[in-house]
DNA sequence: AAAGGTCTCAACCGCGTGACC
DNA sequence: TGGTCACGCGGTTGAGACCTT
């Protein structure tokens, strides 16, 4: 009997779910045989872990998750499964895809290598503080979200830009119409960093940078999240204590631009 | 409306590791 | 000790959705 490849059908999914519900997971090769699936054990395992498992969290990666991914990747590099262990319900595949499609894309747009110090600095000093700022903003009641989003900065629409866009924006300072010069986020990219989405994801202002709901219920991740929390609060403290956050972002942006010009 | 380009993400592949015989 | 098997990980691919012209 020839093995099947390619996308799974609803019937195959149903068979796999039922079989695992009755017999549990593991021993994937024999599971595939016994369940009557014309798939390799490997394929069954992947389908189950990345898609069918009931605790798989689907949908947009939240701001907190983005921040955590950036932080953990800076520590561990491409250790996707290790990183995934600290994001409940997210799979290594999903995180890997996020990194490749979003983060590496931004590196490409900034014309620097994703492993270069320049790009790592951009992440640490532009992107991550920017995410923290947005997470903080999202903590404000949803009816004042729009006010926060429109808070004036050095650039009138600075709060609508991704960090990499700030760099690009500055890149185009000589452009007679800067407001239209920088690249915009591709609209088919999930609006992960959109402020309004934060409000949507955490209705009633329940969002918390310290302990989002799904971290509170997952005790196995407590240690990790405490690490993150410590990092996070330090960062927030640093940025909040040292003056206007927009001013800081702007200054760093200029530094990054100088670095880029030196290269 | 259609053609071509770009992006996303599910799935595959190859390899390393550990358990067992 | 070497062979085999199962499993898990990270890298890569390709179909289809989406966007642009």
């Amino acid at each position: 009997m020839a093995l099947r490849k390619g996308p799974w059908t609803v019937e195959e999914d149903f068979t796999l779910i039922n079989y695992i519900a009755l017999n549990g997971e593991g021993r994937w090769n024999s599971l595939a045989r016994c369940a009557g699936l014309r798939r390799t054990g490997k394929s069954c395992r992947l389908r189950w872990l990345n898609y069918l498992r009931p605790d798989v969290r689907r949908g947009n990666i939240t701001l907190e998750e983005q921040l955590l991914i950036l932080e953990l990747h800076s520590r561990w590099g491409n250790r996707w499964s290790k990183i995934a262990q600290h994001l409940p319900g997210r799979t290594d595949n999903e995180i890997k895809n996020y990194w490749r499609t979003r983060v590496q894309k931004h590196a490409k747009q900034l014309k620097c290598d994703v492993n270069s110090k320049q790009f790592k600095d951009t992440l640490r000093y532009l992107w991550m503080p920017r995410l923290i700022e947005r997470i903080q903003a999202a903590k404000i009641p949803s009816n004042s979200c729009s006010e926060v989003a429109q808070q004036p900065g050095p650039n009138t629409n600075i709060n609508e830009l991704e960090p990499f866009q700030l760099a690009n924006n500055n890149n185009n300072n000589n452009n007679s119409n800067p407001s239209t010069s920088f690249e915009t986020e591709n609209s088919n990219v999930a609006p992960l960093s959109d402020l309004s989405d934060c409000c949507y994801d955490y209705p009633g202002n329940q969002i918390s940078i310290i302990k989002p709901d799904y971290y509170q219920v997952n005790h196995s991740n407590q240690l990790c999240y405490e690490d993150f929390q410590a990092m996070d609060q330090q960062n927030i403290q640093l940025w909040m204590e040292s003056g206007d956050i927009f001013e800081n972002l702007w200054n760093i942006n200029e530094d990054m631009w100088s670095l880029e010009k030196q290269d």
Side-chain angles (χ1 to χ4, degrees), chain A residues 32-93:
Chain A
R33 267 197 316 275
C34 296
L37 287 161
R38 290 158 56 197
R39 296 275 182 174
T40 64
K42 237 179 180 182
S43 181
C44 294
R45 175 186 164 271
L46 206 67
R47 183 65 179 169
W48 174 253
L49 292 179
N50 285 345
Y51 199 85
L52 299 176
R53 214 165 26 116
D55 56 333
V56 168
R57 227 174 99 83
R58 308 201 64 76
N60 290 346
I61 293 177
T62 65
L63 294 169
E64 287 88 350
E65 287 173 321
Q66 288 182 61
L67 187 57
L68 193 49
I69 290 168
L70 296 183
E71 169 61 22
L72 296 180
H73 187 274
S74 75
R75 289 191 203 177
W76 299 324
N78 297 357
R79 303 282 303 280
W80 306 120
S81 99
K82 188 169 181 177
I83 293 170
Q85 285 170 14
H86 299 276
L87 284 113
R90 298 295 185 186
T91 67
D92 55 347
N93 216 26

Side-chain angles (χ1 to χ4, degrees), chain A residues 140-190:
Chain A
I140 294 166
S142 57
N143 60 2
S144 47
C145 268
S146 57
E147 291 170 28
V148 172
Q150 287 163 16
Q151 182 176 345
N155 183 313
T156 52
N157 58 0
I158 192 170
N159 217 18
E160 293 167 7
L161 302 179
E162 291 290 351
F164 81 94
Q165 290 174 319
L166 291 173
N168 281 344
N169 188 18
N170 222 19
N171 245 339
N172 290 293
N173 270 350
N174 294 331
N175 190 304
S176 60
N177 187 4
S179 66
T180 58
S181 59
F182 35 80
E183 297 178 61
T184 55
E185 186 100 6
N186 191 321
S187 59
N188 72 351
V189 170

